[in-house]
Amino acid sequence: MTGPHSTDLTAALLVERRYFRRRLGHAGYWELGIGLSHLSNGVAEQGTRTNFVEHAGAGVQWPMGDDASWGLGLRFQHVSNAGREDPNIGLNVLVLAVSYTLYR
């Protein structure tokens, strides 16, 4: 492909999250994940649309009452077809995530 292009990435990951330093309701965390992803359009860096994705991140959560919390995290993701087809340059993504969680 030549010129600018865009694509949507849909992924399903298994993520392990561990909390640490819980103080005054605030909690830091780190997380690792692995899974599969699908690109809506082909991109020059990948020979396939269905790929593997690895994920590592860290962040903090703080409570908002008894049934909700806000979170702020930074995640690094690497998308690759693991050498199944050429090219396999891989895509690296840095994600800033803001979350709001309701506990029921």
Side-chain angles (χ1 to χ4, degrees):
M1 279 187 215
T2 60
H5 60 274
S6 66
T7 187
D8 294 325
L9 173 76
T10 303
L13 286 87
L14 295 172
V15 177
E16 174 74 21
R17 180 180 279 188
R18 296 290 177 151
Y19 291 93
F20 59 92
R21 298 219 176 204
R22 296 179 184 180
R23 294 182 186 197
L24 302 173
H26 297 72
Y29 67 85
W30 60 264
E31 60 187 21
L32 296 173
I34 190 165
L36 294 174
S37 68
H38 183 76
L39 298 167
S40 62
N41 301 310
V43 295
E45 295 83 5
Q46 296 295 326
T48 59
R49 287 190 184 181
T50 301
N51 298 288
F52 299 99
V53 60
E54 296 86 29
H55 158 120
V60 65
Q61 278 189 306
W62 57 95
M64 301 301 289
D66 291 336
D67 59 353
S69 68
W70 281 99
L72 182 64
L74 187 63
R75 298 176 183 147
F76 173 79
Q77 291 183 325
H78 176 75
V79 180
S80 170
N81 68 31
R84 294 181 302 140
E85 281 189 40
D86 287 328
N88 182 35
I89 296 170
L91 303 171
N92 294 317
V93 181
L94 193 58
V95 178
L96 177 63
V98 177
S99 63
Y100 183 74
T101 304
L102 291 173
Y103 304 109
R104 297 182 189 254

